Structures are given as C-alpha cells and as structure tokens.
Amino acid sequence: MGSQEVGKKWLDLLFVVHAEHPDCTMHGVNVLNGSIVSCARIQRHMRFGLEPAKDASYLFDRTWEALETMCRKIGTGRIEEIEFSDGRPVNVRVNARRRRRF
C-alpha cells in the first residue's frame, strides 16, 4: 500500500470524525495494515454551548499524527476504544490495562 493511499485513508477518517462524530468514543476499533478500517460502535457525547470547529484543515495535528504512528506500530489488530473531543483523538485504550492520553 502506497503512502498516498494511507494518507488519504487518514484524511478521510479525520473528515468523517470531524463532520459526524467530533465528540465520541469509538469502541472495538479495527486496525488493518496500520490504518483504522472500522469499529464495532460509536458512542456520541453531547456538548453544551460549544459549536464544533467549522474548518477541519488544521485538525491533522500532533494528536492525529500520534494516533497514526500508534496504528502503524500495531499493524493489524484491535484498539479497545478511542475517545475524540472536538474532532481530535484525546484518549486511547489499547486493552483493559493500558491507556494512553494524547
């Protein structure tokens, strides 16, 4: 798989999260060849008084880069949950014991 194809997958995921699920927890996230390909369910979180950012172009920041790096290290496997806030990954639970904050 070429780096352009991998990059497009990550940008596609970013735009879906930003547009449809900016504040959520993805449970049972499947990683294939270093990219997130699906999840078992999405739990939405409500926000009061705050509008999500309209422009997603700035969002692929160090937190997204850290998530991408972690998924590349996993290669193919499963992440228990990923929590997003304002379209950014903020907390990842790889298994029942390990949590990582971005």
Side-chain angles (χ1 to χ4, degrees):
M1 193 178 304
S3 63
Q4 266 189 326
E5 187 178 332
V6 171
K8 181 176 176 356
K9 285 182 179 185
W10 279 98
L11 287 177
D12 289 346
L13 176 64
L14 178 145
F15 286 117
V16 167
V17 168
H18 183 265
E20 298 177 23
H21 311 289
D23 298 289
C24 73
T25 301
M26 292 183 178
H27 299 274
V29 178
N30 295 305
V31 178
L32 179 65
N33 297 326
S35 295
I36 293 173
V37 295
S38 66
C39 69
R41 73 181 173 97
I42 297 175
Q43 177 184 2
R44 290 182 171 197
H45 304 282
M46 294 183 71
R47 292 180 66 151
F48 295 103
L50 296 173
E51 290 292 320
K54 302 254 186 268
D55 179 20
S57 62
Y58 73 95
L59 286 177
F60 204 89
D61 60 5
R62 67 180 181 78
T63 61
W64 275 95
E65 289 174 4
L67 178 60
E68 180 182 20
T69 299
M70 186 180 80
C71 288
R72 287 180 193 238
K73 286 180 183 176
I74 291 171
T76 298
R78 186 173 174 100
I79 299 171
E80 291 300 316
E81 66 182 40
I82 303 172
E83 183 181 340
F84 292 89
S85 179
D86 197 22
R88 288 187 168 98
V90 292
N91 196 22
V92 173
R93 187 167 56 107
V94 178
N95 60 37
R97 294 181 204 111
R98 275 183 56 201
R99 249 183 213 278
R100 177 179 176 175
R101 294 189 74 66
F102 288 102

XYZ file of all heavy atoms in Angstrom:
826
model
N 0.838 -1.167 0.000
C 0.000 0.000 0.000
C 0.887 1.235 0.000
O 1.783 1.362 0.816
C -0.881 -0.030 1.248
C -1.997 0.966 1.210
S -3.071 0.889 2.661
C -3.574 -0.807 2.658
N 0.656 2.176 -0.924
C 1.484 3.363 -1.020
C 1.173 4.372 0.062
O 0.113 4.363 0.666
N 2.136 5.282 0.301
C 1.950 6.267 1.372
C 0.828 7.241 1.048
O 0.152 7.725 1.947
C 3.256 7.014 1.627
O 3.636 7.741 0.481
N 0.585 7.529 -0.246
C -0.523 8.410 -0.618
C -1.856 7.780 -0.248
O -2.742 8.442 0.267
C -0.503 8.698 -2.113
C 0.213 9.966 -2.459
C 0.018 10.308 -3.917
O -0.079 9.422 -4.763
N -0.025 11.577 -4.215
N -2.000 6.480 -0.494
C -3.237 5.776 -0.173
C -3.467 5.760 1.337
O -4.579 5.986 1.806
C -3.185 4.352 -0.721
C -4.486 3.596 -0.594
C -4.392 2.211 -1.192
O -3.596 1.996 -2.119
O -5.144 1.346 -0.720
N -2.421 5.516 2.099
C -2.528 5.531 3.554
C -2.896 6.938 4.019
O -3.784 7.119 4.848
C -1.218 5.055 4.219
C -1.264 5.284 5.709
C -0.992 3.581 3.918
N -2.244 7.959 3.489
C -2.545 9.342 3.860
C -3.980 9.716 3.569
O -4.629 10.377 4.378
N -4.514 9.286 2.444
C -5.906 9.572 2.088
C -6.854 8.899 3.067
O -7.850 9.498 3.471
C -6.206 9.129 0.660
C -7.635 9.437 0.249
C -7.904 9.096 -1.179
C -9.333 9.285 -1.630
N -10.329 9.681 -0.695
N -6.553 7.674 3.476
C -7.410 6.988 4.445
C -7.477 7.766 5.755
O -8.527 7.893 6.361
C -6.908 5.568 4.711
C -7.195 4.611 3.592
C -6.725 3.226 3.951
C -7.050 2.267 2.831
N -6.717 0.894 3.173
N -6.335 8.281 6.197
C -6.313 9.024 7.456
C -7.074 10.333 7.325
O -7.803 10.730 8.229
C -4.880 9.254 7.923
C -4.361 8.033 8.604
C -3.575 7.068 8.050
C -4.653 7.616 9.928
N -3.356 6.060 8.959
C -4.004 6.382 10.130
C -5.390 8.152 10.969
C -4.074 5.690 11.325
C -5.459 7.470 12.167
C -4.803 6.249 12.333
N -6.925 11.023 6.200
C -7.675 12.264 5.997
C -9.169 11.995 5.890
O -9.981 12.757 6.419
C -7.165 13.005 4.763
C -5.810 13.673 4.924
C -5.373 14.322 3.619
C -5.828 14.688 6.054
N -9.547 10.913 5.214
C -10.968 10.543 5.132
C -11.539 10.295 6.523
O -12.634 10.769 6.851
C -11.170 9.299 4.261
C -10.933 9.563 2.783
O -10.878 10.741 2.374
O -10.808 8.570 2.030
N -10.802 9.560 7.365
C -11.253 9.298 8.734
C -11.365 10.608 9.511
O -12.362 10.841 10.205
C -10.291 8.345 9.440
C -10.602 8.075 10.915
C -11.944 7.361 11.067
C -9.490 7.255 11.546
N -10.381 11.482 9.383
C -10.412 12.764 10.067
C -11.674 13.536 9.699
O -12.374 14.046 10.577
C -9.177 13.584 9.711
C -9.107 14.984 10.325
C -7.671 15.333 10.659
C -9.684 16.027 9.407
N -11.998 13.614 8.413
C -13.156 14.392 7.981
C -14.468 13.759 8.434
O -15.406 14.465 8.788
C -13.124 14.631 6.474
C -12.084 15.651 6.082
C -11.021 15.303 5.273
C -12.151 16.952 6.551
C -10.056 16.234 4.930
C -11.192 17.895 6.220
C -10.138 17.542 5.407
N -14.560 12.435 8.471
C -15.768 11.777 8.987
C -15.932 12.070 10.473
O -17.028 12.437 10.921
C -15.732 10.254 8.727
C -16.815 9.536 9.523
C -15.906 9.963 7.240
N -14.858 11.928 11.231
C -14.931 12.213 12.669
C -15.315 13.667 12.880
O -16.214 13.980 13.664
C -13.588 11.883 13.370
C -13.557 12.450 14.785
C -13.362 10.382 13.393
N -14.666 14.570 12.194
C -14.921 15.998 12.377
C -16.359 16.365 12.003
O -17.018 17.104 12.736
C -13.940 16.823 11.545
C -14.095 18.291 11.752
N -14.860 19.080 10.945
C -13.604 19.101 12.725
C -14.827 20.316 11.374
N -14.068 20.362 12.449
N -16.858 15.833 10.910
C -18.186 16.217 10.428
C -19.329 15.519 11.169
O -20.362 16.119 11.427
C -18.295 15.913 8.929
N -19.141 14.247 11.517
C -20.256 13.473 12.046
C -20.138 13.098 13.514
O -21.147 12.892 14.182
C -20.426 12.208 11.205
C -20.762 12.512 9.761
C -20.872 11.277 8.902
O -21.124 10.186 9.451
O -20.687 11.404 7.680
N -18.922 12.954 14.017
C -18.717 12.472 15.388
C -17.578 13.220 16.079
O -16.628 12.593 16.553
C -18.387 10.974 15.381
C -19.309 10.143 14.574
N -20.603 9.886 14.955
C -19.139 9.520 13.383
C -21.186 9.123 14.049
N -20.327 8.897 13.086
N -17.639 14.550 16.177
C -16.500 15.266 16.753
C -16.261 14.941 18.227
O -15.134 15.032 18.702
C -16.853 16.740 16.558
C -18.335 16.760 16.424
C -18.713 15.457 15.782
N -17.316 14.570 18.932
C -17.199 14.213 20.345
C -17.806 12.829 20.525
O -19.028 12.678 20.564
C -17.931 15.234 21.226
C -17.317 16.610 21.079
O -16.198 16.784 21.570
O -17.951 17.481 20.457
N -16.941 11.824 20.584
C -17.443 10.455 20.642
C -16.378 9.528 21.211
O -15.228 9.913 21.393
C -17.848 9.966 19.251
S -16.453 9.604 18.159
N -16.796 8.307 21.465
C -15.866 7.234 21.778
C -16.137 6.109 20.791
O -17.281 5.672 20.656
C -16.039 6.718 23.221
O -15.821 7.811 24.114
C -15.043 5.607 23.536
N -15.119 5.695 20.069
C -15.221 4.546 19.171
C -14.785 3.319 19.945
O -13.709 3.313 20.547
C -14.335 4.722 17.945
C -14.768 5.788 17.016
S -13.683 5.823 15.570
C -14.457 7.119 14.630
N -15.610 2.290 19.944
C -15.323 1.048 20.659
C -15.017 -0.059 19.654
O -15.637 -0.132 18.593
C -16.533 0.629 21.505
C -16.891 1.636 22.552
N -16.305 1.647 23.792
C -17.759 2.681 22.527
C -16.807 2.640 24.498
N -17.698 3.285 23.759
N -14.082 -0.938 19.997
C -13.739 -2.062 19.141
C -13.206 -1.622 17.793
O -13.711 -2.024 16.755
N -12.179 -0.805 17.804
C -11.610 -0.229 16.581
C -10.666 -1.238 15.930
O -9.731 -1.726 16.571
C -10.868 1.082 16.905
C -10.242 1.672 15.658
C -11.814 2.080 17.570
N -10.915 -1.538 14.669
C -10.095 -2.493 13.930
C -9.043 -1.752 13.107
O -9.363 -0.801 12.387
C -10.969 -3.348 13.014
C -11.909 -4.205 13.818
O -11.488 -4.956 14.689
N -13.201 -4.082 13.557
N -7.805 -2.217 13.225
C -6.677 -1.636 12.507
C -6.172 -2.688 11.524
O -5.935 -3.839 11.897
C -5.546 -1.235 13.488
C -4.351 -0.666 12.744
C -6.064 -0.257 14.524
N -6.033 -2.294 10.268
C -5.543 -3.186 9.221
C -4.422 -2.482 8.475
O -4.608 -1.368 7.974
C -6.677 -3.563 8.257
C -6.310 -4.477 7.103
C -5.884 -5.845 7.616
C -7.489 -4.601 6.153
N -3.272 -3.112 8.416
C -2.102 -2.542 7.731
C -1.803 -1.117 8.184
O -1.489 -0.249 7.370
C -2.291 -2.590 6.216
C -2.401 -3.991 5.690
O -1.783 -4.904 6.203
N -3.231 -4.174 4.679
N -1.951 -0.855 9.485
C -1.602 0.443 10.042
C -2.646 1.526 9.917
O -2.386 2.674 10.262
N -3.838 1.190 9.417
C -4.915 2.169 9.271
C -6.171 1.681 9.968
O -6.461 0.483 9.971
C -5.248 2.403 7.792
O -4.164 2.989 7.128
N -6.931 2.610 10.503
C -8.224 2.274 11.099
C -9.204 2.001 9.974
O -9.361 2.823 9.068
C -8.719 3.426 11.999
C -7.794 3.569 13.208
C -10.164 3.200 12.429
C -8.078 4.776 14.074
N -9.855 0.833 10.027
C -10.780 0.458 8.957
C -12.229 0.349 9.407
O -13.138 0.445 8.593
C -10.343 -0.855 8.261
C -9.016 -0.660 7.532
C -10.244 -2.000 9.249
N -12.473 0.129 10.705
C -13.847 0.009 11.183
C -13.868 0.041 12.701
O -12.824 -0.010 13.346
C -14.489 -1.294 10.687
O -13.843 -2.414 11.268
N -15.088 0.109 13.227
C -15.258 -0.010 14.676
C -16.588 -0.690 14.954
O -17.493 -0.671 14.120
C -15.162 1.337 15.381
S -16.497 2.460 15.063
N -16.697 -1.299 16.120
C -17.902 -2.038 16.485
C -19.066 -1.094 16.764
O -20.201 -1.376 16.395
C -17.636 -2.931 17.698
N -18.783 0.026 17.446
C -19.848 1.001 17.701
C -19.244 2.349 18.044
O -18.085 2.458 18.436
C -20.787 0.531 18.799
C -20.248 0.569 20.190
C -21.267 0.053 21.214
N -20.660 -0.043 22.513
C -20.760 0.886 23.455
N -21.468 1.968 23.233
N -20.165 0.729 24.621
N -20.079 3.372 17.892
C -19.678 4.736 18.213
C -20.649 5.277 19.256
O -21.862 5.254 19.054
C -19.683 5.645 16.965
C -18.659 5.149 15.947
C -19.415 7.095 17.365
C -18.669 5.896 14.639
N -20.110 5.737 20.349
C -20.905 6.348 21.410
C -20.707 7.859 21.313
O -19.609 8.369 21.511
C -20.433 5.837 22.773
C -21.129 6.454 23.940
C -20.545 5.963 25.259
O -19.584 5.191 25.293
N -21.118 6.415 26.345
N -21.775 8.566 20.981
C -21.684 10.022 20.846
C -21.740 10.680 22.211
O -22.415 10.204 23.113
C -22.830 10.546 19.995
C -22.693 10.166 18.556
C -23.810 10.751 17.763
N -23.543 10.557 16.354
C -24.144 11.216 15.408
N -25.061 12.103 15.699
N -23.842 10.986 14.152
N -21.048 11.813 22.319
C -21.074 12.623 23.530
C -21.729 13.949 23.190
O -21.534 14.479 22.109
C -19.654 12.879 24.055
C -18.883 11.627 24.316
N -19.072 10.856 25.426
C -17.926 11.001 23.587
C -18.266 9.814 25.379
N -17.556 9.873 24.268
N -22.496 14.476 24.113
C -23.156 15.754 23.895
C -22.263 16.880 24.392
O -21.576 16.744 25.390
C -24.486 15.792 24.632
C -25.478 14.806 24.086
S -27.058 14.939 24.923
C -27.618 16.505 24.292
N -22.337 17.999 23.676
C -21.624 19.205 24.089
C -22.654 20.294 24.298
O -23.557 20.459 23.498
C -20.661 19.651 23.002
C -19.517 18.697 22.804
C -18.630 19.197 21.732
N -18.001 20.436 22.166
C -16.825 20.831 21.753
N -16.150 20.127 20.900
N -16.316 21.955 22.178
N -22.505 21.049 25.340
C -23.412 22.149 25.610
C -22.683 23.474 25.420
O -21.604 23.682 25.965
C -23.951 22.063 27.044
C -24.809 20.852 27.266
C -24.313 19.758 27.947
C -26.094 20.806 26.764
C -25.099 18.644 28.144
C -26.890 19.695 26.957
C -26.392 18.606 27.645
N -23.284 24.340 24.624
C -22.775 25.694 24.477
C -21.583 25.869 23.565
O -21.156 26.984 23.337
N -21.031 24.818 23.044
C -19.877 24.949 22.159
C -20.212 24.419 20.779
O -20.751 23.339 20.634
C -18.681 24.169 22.711
C -18.113 24.633 24.044
C -17.060 23.655 24.516
C -17.539 26.031 23.927
N -19.887 25.192 19.775
C -20.055 24.755 18.392
C -18.764 24.085 17.934
O -17.675 24.567 18.246
C -20.337 25.955 17.480
C -21.693 26.571 17.699
C -22.820 25.648 17.263
O -22.682 24.991 16.218
O -23.823 25.589 17.983
N -18.877 22.961 17.210
C -17.645 22.348 16.687
C -16.970 23.281 15.686
O -17.628 24.105 15.052
C -18.133 21.069 16.011
C -19.599 21.231 15.845
C -20.065 22.246 16.828
N -15.690 23.148 15.572
C -14.936 23.971 14.618
C -15.434 23.704 13.209
O -15.730 22.579 12.846
C -13.446 23.654 14.729
N -15.540 24.761 12.409
C -16.074 24.629 11.046
C -15.019 24.173 10.044
O -15.304 23.490 9.102
C -16.658 25.962 10.591
C -17.752 26.474 11.487
C -19.089 26.306 10.845
C -20.179 26.948 11.666
N -20.815 26.087 12.608
N -13.789 24.565 10.265
C -12.709 24.273 9.326
C -11.872 23.110 9.853
O -11.268 23.220 10.909
C -11.834 25.512 9.146
C -10.672 25.275 8.207
O -10.723 24.318 7.402
O -9.706 26.050 8.279
N -11.848 22.004 9.121
C -11.127 20.818 9.570
C -9.677 20.792 9.103
O -8.927 19.914 9.496
C -11.843 19.567 9.076
N -9.258 21.736 8.287
C -7.925 21.657 7.694
C -6.804 21.698 8.735
O -5.742 21.142 8.518
C -7.730 22.775 6.674
O -7.820 24.036 7.311
N -7.018 22.334 9.865
C -5.979 22.439 10.891
C -5.934 21.223 11.807
O -5.055 21.109 12.644
C -6.200 23.688 11.748
C -7.365 23.546 12.690
C -7.164 23.130 14.007
C -8.657 23.787 12.264
C -8.237 22.974 14.873
C -9.723 23.632 13.120
C -9.508 23.229 14.423
O -10.570 23.068 15.262
N -6.890 20.314 11.690
C -7.051 19.257 12.682
C -6.010 18.151 12.629
O -5.800 17.486 13.628
C -8.446 18.623 12.579
C -9.583 19.464 13.120
C -10.906 18.756 12.893
C -9.394 19.766 14.590
N -5.391 17.907 11.485
C -4.393 16.831 11.448
C -3.125 17.348 12.109
O -2.170 17.754 11.485
C -4.133 16.320 10.035
C -3.611 14.912 10.043
C -4.486 13.851 10.008
C -2.259 14.649 10.136
C -4.025 12.544 10.045
C -1.788 13.343 10.165
C -2.674 12.299 10.127
N -3.174 17.329 13.427
C -2.089 17.879 14.226
C -1.318 16.752 14.893
O -1.406 15.590 14.492
C -2.638 18.873 15.251
C -3.635 18.232 16.211
O -3.846 17.008 16.151
O -4.202 18.974 17.033
N -0.584 17.074 15.936
C 0.261 16.067 16.591
C -0.544 14.937 17.217
O -0.052 13.822 17.312
C 1.184 16.711 17.609
C 0.490 17.309 18.800
C 1.484 17.932 19.791
N 0.783 18.472 20.925
C 0.305 17.743 21.942
N 0.474 16.441 21.955
N -0.345 18.314 22.938
N -1.789 15.195 17.644
C -2.580 14.106 18.223
C -2.981 13.096 17.155
O -2.932 11.891 17.397
C -3.828 14.621 18.970
O -4.677 15.319 18.067
C -3.437 15.510 20.126
N -3.369 13.576 15.985
C -3.678 12.663 14.883
C -2.416 11.940 14.428
O -2.453 10.750 14.109
C -4.328 13.415 13.716
C -5.806 13.560 13.899
C -6.466 14.618 14.431
C -6.803 12.593 13.573
N -7.819 14.367 14.453
C -8.051 13.135 13.929
C -6.763 11.308 13.027
C -9.241 12.454 13.741
C -7.961 10.638 12.833
C -9.174 11.204 13.194
N -1.308 12.648 14.366
C -0.045 12.013 13.990
C 0.330 10.922 14.982
O 0.812 9.857 14.591
C 1.066 13.058 13.895
C 0.931 13.978 12.707
C 1.950 15.103 12.701
O 2.834 15.143 13.597
O 1.861 15.954 11.805
N 0.118 11.177 16.285
C 0.424 10.173 17.303
C -0.473 8.947 17.142
O -0.007 7.807 17.270
C 0.265 10.768 18.697
N -1.759 9.158 16.850
C -2.672 8.039 16.625
C -2.251 7.248 15.389
O -2.214 6.015 15.411
C -4.111 8.538 16.475
C -5.170 7.475 16.187
C -5.236 6.434 17.308
C -6.537 8.138 15.981
N -1.898 7.938 14.327
C -1.442 7.266 13.110
C -0.176 6.449 13.392
O -0.073 5.286 12.972
C -1.178 8.285 12.003
C -0.704 7.651 10.713
C -0.386 8.662 9.633
O -0.153 9.848 9.938
O -0.354 8.245 8.466
N 0.773 7.014 14.104
C 2.016 6.306 14.447
C 1.718 5.066 15.263
O 2.279 3.992 15.013
C 2.973 7.246 15.203
O 3.282 8.355 14.354
C 4.238 6.529 15.620
N 0.818 5.198 16.250
C 0.461 4.052 17.075
C -0.179 2.947 16.228
O 0.155 1.775 16.381
C -0.506 4.474 18.183
C -0.802 3.365 19.165
S -1.928 3.893 20.456
C -3.463 3.758 19.569
N -1.066 3.315 15.314
C -1.724 2.316 14.459
C -0.719 1.640 13.527
O -0.815 0.445 13.268
C -2.853 2.954 13.665
S -4.283 3.366 14.681
N 0.242 2.404 13.034
C 1.282 1.791 12.191
C 2.101 0.778 12.985
O 2.492 -0.257 12.465
C 2.180 2.854 11.592
C 1.502 3.626 10.494
C 2.435 4.667 9.934
N 1.704 5.585 9.112
C 1.972 5.803 7.830
N 2.968 5.172 7.260
N 1.251 6.655 7.146
N 2.358 1.073 14.265
C 3.084 0.123 15.115
C 2.249 -1.127 15.374
O 2.790 -2.231 15.433
C 3.471 0.777 16.445
C 4.595 1.763 16.320
C 4.931 2.382 17.653
C 6.016 3.429 17.495
N 6.295 4.115 18.769
N 0.945 -0.951 15.548
C 0.059 -2.105 15.747
C 0.022 -2.955 14.494
O 0.019 -4.178 14.562
C -1.367 -1.638 16.125
C -1.361 -1.032 17.524
C -2.368 -2.783 16.035
C -2.668 -0.341 17.904
N 0.019 -2.304 13.331
C -0.043 -3.038 12.061
C -1.447 -3.530 11.800
O -2.240 -2.856 11.170
N -1.755 -4.712 12.283
C -3.095 -5.271 12.179
C -3.493 -5.764 13.555
O -2.759 -6.532 14.170
C -3.149 -6.415 11.150
O -2.799 -5.876 9.864
C -4.520 -7.049 11.080
N -4.629 -5.286 14.033
C -5.078 -5.655 15.368
C -6.305 -4.870 15.768
O -7.074 -4.423 14.936
N -6.438 -4.670 17.077
C -7.643 -4.034 17.614
C -7.283 -3.063 18.733
O -6.421 -3.351 19.563
C -8.585 -5.111 18.135
C -9.929 -4.624 18.580
C -10.794 -5.849 18.905
N -12.045 -5.494 19.478
C -13.191 -5.434 18.810
N -13.215 -5.744 17.534
N -14.299 -5.107 19.410
N -7.968 -1.948 18.744
C -7.880 -0.967 19.811
C -9.222 -1.004 20.528
O -10.268 -0.952 19.893
C -7.602 0.446 19.256
C -6.266 0.480 18.514
C -7.643 1.485 20.376
C -6.012 1.763 17.750
N -9.196 -1.116 21.846
C -10.449 -1.214 22.608
C -11.326 0.017 22.428
O -12.521 -0.100 22.177
C -10.174 -1.462 24.090
C -9.604 -2.832 24.376
C -10.515 -3.961 23.939
O -11.740 -3.890 24.178
O -10.006 -4.921 23.344
N -10.745 1.199 22.592
C -11.535 2.415 22.390
C -10.649 3.610 22.114
O -9.505 3.674 22.556
C -12.455 2.705 23.575
C -11.770 3.045 24.858
C -12.735 3.268 25.998
O -13.727 2.525 26.115
O -12.485 4.185 26.801
N -11.215 4.549 21.356
C -10.574 5.828 21.079
C -11.599 6.904 21.390
O -12.708 6.881 20.866
C -10.124 5.965 19.610
C -9.186 4.836 19.207
C -9.461 7.330 19.385
C -8.861 4.821 17.718
N -11.206 7.843 22.228
C -12.089 8.953 22.583
C -11.677 10.189 21.789
O -10.485 10.511 21.706
C -11.986 9.230 24.079
C -12.909 10.317 24.558
C -12.762 10.570 26.041
O -12.246 9.701 26.773
O -13.157 11.664 26.467
N -12.663 10.866 21.199
C -12.419 12.082 20.429
C -13.106 13.256 21.106
O -14.207 13.119 21.640
C -12.979 11.941 19.002
C -12.249 10.947 18.159
C -12.633 9.618 18.150
C -11.183 11.333 17.371
C -11.963 8.692 17.369
C -10.507 10.417 16.582
C -10.895 9.091 16.587
N -12.463 14.412 21.057
C -13.045 15.651 21.557
C -12.751 16.737 20.536
O -11.589 16.932 20.146
C -12.447 16.019 22.915
O -12.986 17.229 23.378
N -13.799 17.410 20.085
C -13.675 18.453 19.059
C -12.930 17.940 17.822
O -12.111 18.629 17.232
C -13.004 19.701 19.623
C -13.232 20.921 18.730
O -14.204 20.938 17.946
O -12.424 21.868 18.803
N -13.197 16.688 17.464
C -12.611 16.108 16.265
C -11.185 15.626 16.410
O -10.549 15.259 15.428
N -10.657 15.629 17.631
C -9.274 15.192 17.862
C -9.247 13.973 18.776
O -10.010 13.901 19.733
C -8.484 16.298 18.535
C -8.173 17.456 17.654
C -7.236 18.402 18.408
N -6.681 19.388 17.534
C -7.154 20.620 17.406
N -8.201 21.000 18.100
N -6.593 21.472 16.585
N -8.350 13.023 18.508
C -8.194 11.908 19.445
C -7.552 12.428 20.731
O -6.557 13.156 20.682
C -7.265 10.941 18.705
C -6.534 11.786 17.708
C -7.436 12.928 17.368
N -8.145 12.077 21.875
C -7.607 12.567 23.147
C -7.235 11.439 24.101
O -6.439 11.636 25.014
C -8.577 13.538 23.858
C -8.713 14.826 23.076
C -9.922 12.903 24.102
N -7.814 10.260 23.910
C -7.553 9.159 24.829
C -7.730 7.845 24.078
O -8.683 7.690 23.328
C -8.521 9.230 26.012
C -8.086 8.400 27.174
O -6.914 8.074 27.327
N -9.036 8.028 28.000
N -6.810 6.913 24.285
C -6.873 5.606 23.627
C -6.701 4.529 24.682
O -5.830 4.639 25.547
C -5.763 5.466 22.558
C -5.709 4.059 21.999
C -5.977 6.457 21.437
N -7.526 3.503 24.599
C -7.350 2.332 25.466
C -7.079 1.157 24.544
O -7.934 0.725 23.786
C -8.590 2.074 26.316
C -8.365 0.970 27.330
C -9.461 0.925 28.366
N -10.772 0.792 27.772
C -11.498 -0.322 27.805
N -11.043 -1.396 28.406
N -12.671 -0.366 27.245
N -5.855 0.651 24.594
C -5.438 -0.445 23.718
C -6.002 -1.765 24.226
O -6.491 -2.582 23.463
C -3.899 -0.505 23.589
C -3.471 -1.665 22.710
C -3.370 0.805 23.037
N -5.922 -1.981 25.537
C -6.518 -3.172 26.147
C -7.045 -2.781 27.521
O -7.022 -1.609 27.878
C -5.518 -4.334 26.214
C -4.287 -3.998 27.029
O -4.367 -3.319 28.037
N -3.139 -4.477 26.584
N -7.492 -3.748 28.280
C -8.126 -3.454 29.567
C -7.190 -2.735 30.538
O -7.651 -2.043 31.428
C -8.640 -4.745 30.192
N -5.900 -2.865 30.380
C -4.959 -2.298 31.348
C -4.232 -1.053 30.866
O -3.775 -0.267 31.662
C -3.921 -3.347 31.720
C -4.530 -4.504 32.464
C -3.455 -5.510 32.848
N -4.075 -6.799 33.019
C -3.899 -7.835 32.232
N -3.084 -7.760 31.220
N -4.526 -8.956 32.454
N -4.077 -0.894 29.549
C -3.238 0.205 29.029
C -4.073 1.338 28.454
O -4.869 1.137 27.550
C -2.322 -0.315 27.915
C -1.064 -0.925 28.434
C -0.142 -1.352 27.328
N 0.181 -0.258 26.409
C 0.624 -0.469 25.191
N 0.802 -1.677 24.726
N 0.908 0.543 24.413
N -3.865 2.525 28.970
C -4.482 3.735 28.454
C -3.385 4.688 28.016
O -2.338 4.768 28.630
C -5.297 4.428 29.543
C -6.730 4.373 29.289
C -7.491 5.140 30.340
N -8.743 4.514 30.554
C -9.808 4.695 29.800
N -9.749 5.513 28.778
N -10.921 4.065 30.039
N -3.672 5.445 26.966
C -2.717 6.451 26.516
C -3.464 7.736 26.230
O -4.453 7.744 25.525
C -2.026 5.979 25.242
C -1.101 7.031 24.712
C -0.380 6.595 23.488
N 0.406 7.720 23.008
C 1.227 7.666 22.008
N 1.385 6.539 21.376
N 1.883 8.714 21.637
N -2.983 8.826 26.815
C -3.554 10.143 26.555
C -2.659 10.867 25.559
O -1.444 10.749 25.610
C -3.672 10.952 27.839
C -4.663 10.342 28.801
C -4.972 11.210 29.975
N -5.818 12.349 29.758
C -7.105 12.324 29.421
N -7.687 11.186 29.142
N -7.799 13.441 29.310
N -3.275 11.604 24.678
C -2.514 12.355 23.679
C -2.251 13.760 24.153
O -2.901 14.329 24.932
C -3.267 12.410 22.349
C -3.267 11.091 21.645
C -4.380 10.282 21.679
C -2.148 10.643 20.992
C -4.387 9.065 21.022
C -2.141 9.427 20.335
C -3.271 8.639 20.362
